[in-house]
């Protein structure tokens, strides 16, 4: 199967590795010429996840997105949500006609406050029958090191979900399927906010005991929000695609959102923390979008609300976390 991967970051690089090792022909769009050059010449991404060895003989890489999209009917989106709309602006409805698109974005398109599936439907008329999402506890660094990873493919089209599940599975990646595409997408957004909260607590010198209680409350919040915005009888919040992804993002040393939050807790300004990080912390953008969405559905999400006030209302982090601790 031919597959196109759009995005040049760590997670995109890991997905390219999986796809190429599964003997697929991979077409890869990246924005930076430096990535294109290093993949062609040396078989690695010079800007992200440099340790990840790639089979360049199976990879056709280009900085021209239109050329990549036309090569295959199977597209994987791995562009940070903040830049998704801008990256796709040169494409039209015809470019997506008859395509199957799987999102690995784990974010909300901030210009629209829509999850990726809804954005693609609204903007390009791509039906839910042709869309899927891949999620679960899956740090790119561990995939690059070929450590065992579990992914869930969600789609309303069960045949499509099973099809993509076989293409992502390999000796170190196990896959399962779900029909809860909306819940999985929103869960992937919320866990970044809660990981940011965990990082803030660590930066403020709260211990693991408190953070474990915070994350216990966070999974309850997530379930409350998902039940409001996307009721689903199939959903089990304790599955790895929800709880597992939250845990790894909140606790792992590889977590960008935890790192970003820890810097804020230590007293960094948002601008200085963003400047020092070389990768996007999706939780920063997600917090604003979830706050706006929740004005309509009015789910009880006090942890997410506290993070929003810290990020966008200049609320003191120590005050917000102390108030949360007193409510637990």
């Amino acid at each position: 199967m031919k597959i196109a991967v759009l995005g040049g970051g760590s997670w995109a690089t890991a997905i390219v590795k999986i796809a190429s090792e599964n003997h697929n022909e991979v077409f890869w769009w990246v924005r930076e010429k430096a990535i294109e050059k290093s993949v062609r010449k040396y078989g690695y991404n010079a800007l992200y996840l440099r340790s990840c060895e790639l089979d360049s003989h199976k990879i056709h890489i280009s900085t021209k997105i239109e050329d990549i999209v036309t090569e295959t009917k199977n597209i994987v989106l791995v562009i940070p949500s903040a830049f998704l709309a801008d990256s796709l602006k040169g494409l039209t409805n015809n470019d997506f006609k008859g395509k199957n698109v799987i999102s690995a974005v784990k974010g909300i398109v901030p210009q629209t406050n829509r999850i990726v599936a809804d954005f693609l439907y609204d903007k390009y008329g791509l039906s839910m029958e042709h869309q899927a999402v891949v999620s679960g506890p899956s740090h790119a660094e561990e995939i690059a090191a070929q450590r065992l990873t579990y992914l869930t493919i969600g789609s309303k089209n069960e045949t499509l979900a099973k099809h993509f599940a076989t293409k992502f599975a390999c000796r170190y990646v196990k896959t399962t399927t779900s029909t809860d595409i909306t819940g999985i997408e929103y869960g992937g957004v919320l866990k970044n906010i809660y990981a940011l909260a965990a990082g803030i607590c660590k930066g403020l010198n709260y211990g693991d005991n408190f953070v474990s209680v915070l994350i216990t409350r966070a999974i309850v919040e997530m379930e409350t929000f998902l039940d409001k915005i996307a009721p689903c009888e199939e959903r089990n919040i304790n599955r790895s695609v929800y709880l597992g992804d939250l845990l790894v993002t909140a606790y792992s040393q590889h977590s960008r959102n935890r790192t970003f939050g820890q810097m804020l807790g230590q007293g960094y300004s948002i601008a200085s923390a963003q400047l020092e990080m070389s990768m996007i912390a999706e939780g920063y953008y997600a917090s604003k979008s979830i706050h706006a969405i929740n004005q309509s559905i009015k789910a009880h999400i006090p942890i997410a609300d506290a993070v929003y006030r810290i990020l966008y209302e200049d609320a003191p982090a120590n005050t917000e976390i102390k108030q949360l601790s007193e409510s637990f």
Side-chain angles (χ1 to χ4, degrees), residues 16-57:
V16 168
K17 178 180 176 66
I18 294 170
S20 58
E21 289 198 359
N22 278 352
H23 307 290
N24 295 324
E25 192 174 7
V26 182
F27 296 84
W28 190 8
W29 173 78
V30 296
R31 187 185 301 274
E32 299 88 350
K33 279 284 186 182
I35 298 177
E36 180 186 27
K37 181 179 178 180
S38 63
V39 170
R40 287 182 187 276
K41 192 171 183 179
Y42 302 112
Y44 77 99
N45 184 334
L47 300 186
Y48 302 96
L49 209 62
R50 293 169 65 96
S51 63
C52 186
E53 296 180 3
L54 302 169
D55 186 348
S56 58
H57 295 96

Side-chain angles (χ1 to χ4, degrees), residues 201 206 210 213-214 217 303 318-328:
C201 292
Y206 283 83
F210 174 73
V213 175
L214 178 86
R217 295 300 182 108
I303 300 173
N318 58 345
T319 302
E320 291 292 334
I321 300 303
K322 187 174 187 297
Q323 290 176 347
L324 275 177
S325 71
E326 292 172 349
S327 68
F328 290 170

Side-chain angles (χ1 to χ4, degrees), residues 14-309:
I15 287 176
V16 168
K17 178 180 176 66
I18 294 170
S20 58
E21 289 198 359
N22 278 352
H23 307 290
N24 295 324
E25 192 174 7
V26 182
F27 296 84
W28 190 8
W29 173 78
V30 296
R31 187 185 301 274
E32 299 88 350
K33 279 284 186 182
I35 298 177
E36 180 186 27
K37 181 179 178 180
S38 63
V39 170
R40 287 182 187 276
K41 192 171 183 179
Y42 302 112
Y44 77 99
N45 184 334
L47 300 186
Y48 302 96
L49 209 62
R50 293 169 65 96
S51 63
C52 186
E53 296 180 3
L54 302 169
D55 186 348
S56 58
H57 295 96
K58 295 180 181 178
I59 299 169
H60 309 275
I61 189 168
S62 173
T63 56
K64 297 179 180 179
I65 195 168
E66 295 88 351
D67 293 348
I68 295 298
V69 169
T70 58
E71 290 290 346
T72 172
K73 65 177 291 186
N74 299 291
I75 300 170
V76 185
L77 292 179
V78 210
I79 302 166
S81 61
F83 310 124
L84 183 65
D86 184 61
S87 298
L88 300 183
K89 68 181 180 182
L91 302 177
T92 66
N93 289 36
N94 285 334
D95 291 309
F96 285 100
K97 189 175 181 180
K99 308 283 188 181
N100 298 316
V101 178
I102 182 167
S103 170
V105 174
K106 295 187 179 181
I108 288 179
V109 183
Q111 299 92 327
T112 62
N113 282 343
R114 305 283 275 171
I115 56 174
V116 175
D118 291 339
F119 169 76
L120 293 175
Y121 177 79
D122 294 343
K123 180 71 175 177
Y124 299 103
L126 188 67
S127 75
M128 289 296 178
E129 289 296 306
H130 289 279
Q131 293 198 57
V133 59
V134 57
S135 193
S138 50
H139 282 309
E141 293 83 356
E142 294 201 355
I143 289 176
Q146 301 183 19
R147 292 181 176 175
L148 187 59
T149 300
Y150 293 77
L151 298 175
T152 298
I153 315 297
S155 178
K156 294 186 182 300
N157 182 340
E158 293 185 58
T159 302
L160 183 65
K162 291 176 182 177
H163 172 70
F164 274 123
T166 62
K167 301 307 176 186
F168 274 82
C170 64
R171 58 190 171 82
Y172 53 90
V173 177
K174 298 186 181 297
T175 58
T176 186
T177 63
S178 169
T179 59
D180 186 24
I181 181 173
T182 304
I184 289 172
E185 277 221 68
Y186 274 112
V189 173
L190 286 163
K191 59 96 179 182
N192 287 329
I193 300 172
Y194 297 132
L196 207 157
I200 290 172
C201 292
K202 294 302 291 184
L204 291 169
N205 288 320
Y206 283 83
D208 291 341
N209 294 341
F210 174 73
V211 172
S212 70
V213 175
L214 178 86
I215 298 306
T216 301
R217 295 300 182 108
I219 196 63
V220 174
E221 275 196 25
M222 182 186 291
E223 185 172 35
T224 298
F225 186 92
L226 296 185
D227 286 347
K228 281 260 190 180
I229 201 164
C232 177
E233 291 184 5
E234 176 194 318
R235 183 182 303 127
N236 179 353
I237 203 68
N238 294 318
R239 287 183 62 183
S240 64
V241 72
Y242 311 105
L243 178 58
D245 203 12
L246 170 62
L247 291 174
V248 78
T249 311
Y251 285 107
S252 175
Q253 62 180 342
H254 299 305
S255 172
R256 291 167 284 174
N257 291 284
R258 177 189 165 96
T259 300
F260 182 69
Q262 187 163 342
M263 293 169 73
L264 297 183
Q266 290 169 340
Y268 282 73
S269 68
I270 290 172
S272 60
Q274 289 176 325
L275 188 63
E276 192 159 315
M277 292 184 65
S278 61
M279 296 182 288
I280 298 296
E282 290 275 16
Y284 173 74
Y285 302 98
S287 179
K288 187 175 184 179
S289 295
I290 289 295
H291 179 77
I293 293 167
N294 201 44
Q295 301 308 299
S296 299
I297 67 172
K298 300 188 184 306
H300 183 60
I301 50 173
I303 300 173
D305 289 341
V307 172
Y308 172 81
R309 289 191 292 270

